[in-house]
Amino acid sequence: MRSSIIVIAVALVVESTYAFAPSIAFKSTISKNTMIQREMFGGSGAPPAEEDPEADKETAAAAKAMGLSVEEFNLAGKIREQMIQDVAAIRAQGGSESGGVTVVVDGNQPAGYLKINVNDTGKALGKAGLEKAVLAALKEATEEGKKGFGDAMKEMSENISKGLSGMEDMKRPS
């Protein structure tokens, strides 16, 4: 009981986004010339891809170990990265304003993003009532996050299928 109260108190304190803000300003180490070079002729801001024979060998070995071609291996890596971004962008909510407590989490398990809001209605519930409301809202939000994760997995599978069928179409002679 005491540990759950401590967890709730810590969660309420951590809610403030300023708790993790740096106390000093950071100075950029990127020169203007670098930024201009990266933005020219494409606007992507990404540095140009450099040929690295050693990295190419490692990629080829990893692809071979998995029974994939290098193109398939690279496609799978790109789609995996997209899924990671999609899951992190999920915002699943549990609880309600009228119930006094809302909890928002991302699609990761365990959640990488957690926001707990307690309003006056929630405060009026008392210690035991607030604890139950927070746990119920957290459980609800976590279940919604799991559903979002499942949707992201389905989308990833569809993207892999589309990508692989596109690769097969390119390999077929015209």
Side-chain angles (χ1 to χ4, degrees):
M1 179 75 169
R2 179 175 213 134
S3 63
S4 61
I5 293 171
I6 292 171
V7 168
I8 291 172
V10 169
L12 293 173
V13 170
V14 171
E15 176 187 354
S16 172
T17 57
Y18 293 107
F20 298 107
S23 60
I24 59 171
F26 291 101
K27 185 176 180 182
S28 175
T29 59
I30 299 174
S31 70
K32 289 184 179 182
N33 292 339
T34 304
M35 293 301 288
I36 291 171
Q37 289 173 353
R38 290 184 179 175
E39 292 174 4
M40 287 179 65
F41 307 117
S44 68
E50 295 180 14
E51 297 284 329
D52 184 4
E54 191 63 34
D56 291 344
K57 288 178 185 176
E58 290 175 9
T59 300
K64 184 177 180 181
M66 296 177 77
L68 301 171
S69 70
V70 174
E71 294 83 14
E72 291 169 335
F73 184 80
N74 289 335
L75 173 69
K78 288 177 186 176
I79 292 173
R80 179 181 166 274
E81 288 299 318
Q82 182 61 46
M83 184 192 151
I84 290 170
Q85 292 173 2
D86 291 347
V87 169
I90 293 171
R91 293 296 181 256
Q93 182 172 328
S96 67
E97 289 289 327
S98 62
V101 176
T102 58
V103 175
V104 180
V105 297
D106 64 8
N108 290 307
Q109 300 299 321
Y113 175 86
L114 172 65
K115 183 176 181 181
I116 301 172
N117 289 321
V118 178
N119 61 22
D120 291 335
T121 306
K123 292 175 187 175
L125 294 173
K127 183 169 64 172
L130 179 60
E131 181 179 327
K132 288 179 184 178
V134 168
L135 292 176
L138 180 60
K139 183 177 180 181
E140 184 182 340
T142 302
E143 290 302 317
E144 287 296 316
K146 286 180 183 178
K147 289 177 187 175
F149 180 83
D151 293 343
M153 286 290 288
K154 287 177 189 174
E155 184 178 337
M156 182 183 78
S157 296
E158 291 170 2
N159 288 341
I160 289 173
S161 296
K162 289 177 187 175
L164 291 177
S165 66
M167 290 177 122
E168 290 173 6
D169 292 342
M170 290 189 326
K171 291 180 183 178
R172 291 187 192 136
S174 304

